[in-house]
Amino acid sequence: MNVVTHPIERVAVIGAGAMGGMYAAHFARAGFDVRFIARADRARILRDSAVTVNGEPLRVPVVDADTARSWTADLVIFAVKDRHLRAAIDEAAMVVAPSTIVLSVLNGLDSEERIATGLGSAPSVLLCVAMAMDAERAGDDIHFRQAGRLVFGHEHNDEVSPVVRAVQDALTRAGLEWETPPDMRHRLWWKFMVNVGINQASAVLDAPYGAFQHDGDARSLMAALVDEVIDVAHAEGVDLGPDDVDAWHRVLAGQPAEGRTSMHQDVVAGRPTEVESFGGRVVELGRRYGIPTPFNQAIVWVLRARTGRA
Ligand SMILES: NC(=O)C1=CN([C@@H]2O[C@H](COP(=O)(O)OP(=O)(O)OC[C@H]3O[C@@H](n4cnc5c(N)ncnc54)[C@H](OP(=O)(O)O)[C@@H]3O)[C@@H](O)[C@H]2O)C=CC1
Ligand SMILES: CC(C)(CO)C(=O)C(=O)O
């Protein structure tokens, strides 16, 4: 792990969508040197027509990954969908130095591992989950009411490392809430449980958060999907249980009733979904451990059939 010798100033965001736009706006407003990373048409479009965040145009320079440059990032935030991660890693490599710190807000269990492998051993890739935001994108317009919280760190954080401290300081300066829990693996699985439950159920039911905030059929579907995650988590040695479900219900109660999960937004916009990283992963783990996962299997079939495979 590299030691950070200076505060974070240069922040690269890869993916100028709901999450990337929301984070870029926070860092830009706080005076950081923020750049979007893109290539080809995406770079051109980002330069020609700025995205808007909560109605305000966000003018952030674009580092074009097709052309040579000298700018490197202190912090890189990955904010693309899982099917775009491979290309995003190649693009981000251009702005990564040995001291660069990397956060991934992608949902799913394995983006950090894929990024660390793709970028090589030099940069510090922390584990990260993004919680309780309601970021939405329609075309180039990004809206959020709640920016939520970034939960991040090393796998164990009994002591705060210099790398983690540098990110905590940068997020605080950007006005973003954060948390560094002792056991990040548990949090990654907790977020996975949440996404497998509500993202998938909201996507197949075309239903906003409000449909899941009270007992009823929608919440029962979410619970059935969640139960299967808990079973495979136990097989993986992760102790998810009723307290974790209660914790999710408390977060859910605070979400805007009309807000939509990222997967619900994908289905509405006719985009491929992240179902392979959610239900697909549960089904795969279920097969490995001999655990039945019929609800997740059904959701995978429905979403693949509806939107095509990611
Ligand atoms: N929205 C939310 O509330 C939350 C989302 N997440 C997770 O965060 C991740 C991002 O989600 P979200 O922001 O909603 O997704 P969006 O689809 O809104 O944004 C993704 C952005 O990445 C761009 N992109 C894709 N490939 C590249 C590339 N190679 N280089 C540069 N940009 C690229 C896309 O451009 P284009 O449109 O041209 O493809 C798009 O602008 C997902 O894993 C999601 O599950 C996590 C918590 C909450
Ligand atoms: C937890 C939730 C549902 C919103 O923060 C999310 O991660 C998503 O929409 O992808």
Side-chain angles (χ1 to χ4, degrees):
M1 197 62 62
N2 300 292
V3 177
V4 178
T5 53
H6 57 85
I8 289 169
E9 281 302 332
R10 298 182 303 269
V11 179
V13 177
I14 181 146
M19 295 290 276
M22 181 178 82
Y23 291 120
H26 276 84
F27 281 105
R29 203 172 45 214
F32 287 81
D33 176 0
V34 184
R35 316 271 166 119
F36 283 129
I37 312 298
R39 76 166 24 135
D41 280 354
R42 278 199 191 93
R44 187 181 47 72
I45 291 167
L46 276 174
R47 284 203 185 95
D48 290 352
S49 55
V51 297
T52 66
V53 179
N54 287 349
E56 298 285 324
L58 175 63
R59 305 219 171 267
V60 164
V62 179
V63 176
D64 187 333
D66 285 325
T67 52
R69 73 213 53 79
S70 54
W71 192 90
T72 55
D74 300 322
L75 175 67
V76 175
I77 299 177
F78 279 86
V80 297
K81 290 278 166 51
D82 62 352
R83 71 185 183 285
H84 291 136
L85 184 58
R86 181 61 263 165
I89 292 168
D90 289 345
E91 290 171 33
M94 315 278 181
V95 298
V96 167
S99 60
T100 301
I101 304 169
V102 178
L103 290 181
S104 162
V105 300
L106 273 77
N107 282 322
L109 290 172
D110 64 1
S111 67
E112 286 87 356
E113 200 181 317
R114 291 170 62 195
I115 293 167
T117 305
L119 291 179
S121 56
S124 303
V125 182
L126 297 175
L127 299 173
C128 178
V129 297
M131 284 186 47
M133 62 282 305
D134 63 346
E136 297 199 20
R137 166 170 75 107
D140 288 337
D141 297 323
I142 294 154
H143 281 271
F144 66 91
R145 286 154 281 199
Q146 302 177 176
R149 187 170 4 133
L150 282 175
V151 181
F152 73 96
H154 306 289
E155 189 165 342
H156 300 288
N157 298 289
D158 300 320
E159 283 176 24
V160 176
S161 73
V163 169
V164 167
R165 173 70 68 208
V167 178
Q168 292 174 342
D169 290 347
L171 294 176
T172 299
R173 202 179 129 203
L176 288 159
E177 286 184 28
W178 54 263
E179 185 188 347
T180 302
D183 182 354
M184 260 313 293
R185 186 158 182 253
H186 184 272
R187 290 304 189 93
L188 275 181
W189 270 88
W190 182 88
K191 182 72 195 296
F192 180 61
M193 175 192 84
V194 165
N195 290 130
V196 168
I198 194 152
N199 287 41
Q200 298 192 126
S202 65
V204 294
L205 296 175
D206 191 4
Y209 290 117
F212 301 92
Q213 286 171 329
H214 304 286
D215 286 342
D217 293 337
R219 192 154 160 137
S220 298
L221 175 60
M222 177 175 78
L225 294 162
V226 159
D227 283 347
E228 292 179 359
V229 179
I230 292 175
D231 290 345
V232 295
H234 290 167
E236 284 272 296
V238 178
D239 189 18
L240 286 180
D243 289 352
D244 295 304
V245 176
D246 288 348
W248 162 233
H249 287 167
R250 284 194 296 277
V251 173
L252 176 57
Q255 293 291 91
E258 294 313 313
R260 297 183 302 178
T261 68
S262 54
M263 190 181 259
H264 184 192
Q265 294 175 53
D266 285 338
V267 168
V268 170
R271 296 189 292 253
T273 71
E274 296 184 302
V275 70
E276 304 302 334
S277 300
F278 299 165
R281 187 71 187 268
V282 175
V283 170
E284 178 199 319
L285 289 169
R287 277 201 201 108
R288 184 182 306 167
Y289 295 114
I291 296 169
T293 57
F295 287 97
N296 277 281
Q297 179 62 81
I299 294 281
V300 170
W301 284 330
V302 170
L303 287 175
R304 276 190 199 153
R306 249 187 96 159
T307 58
R309 286 197 69 161

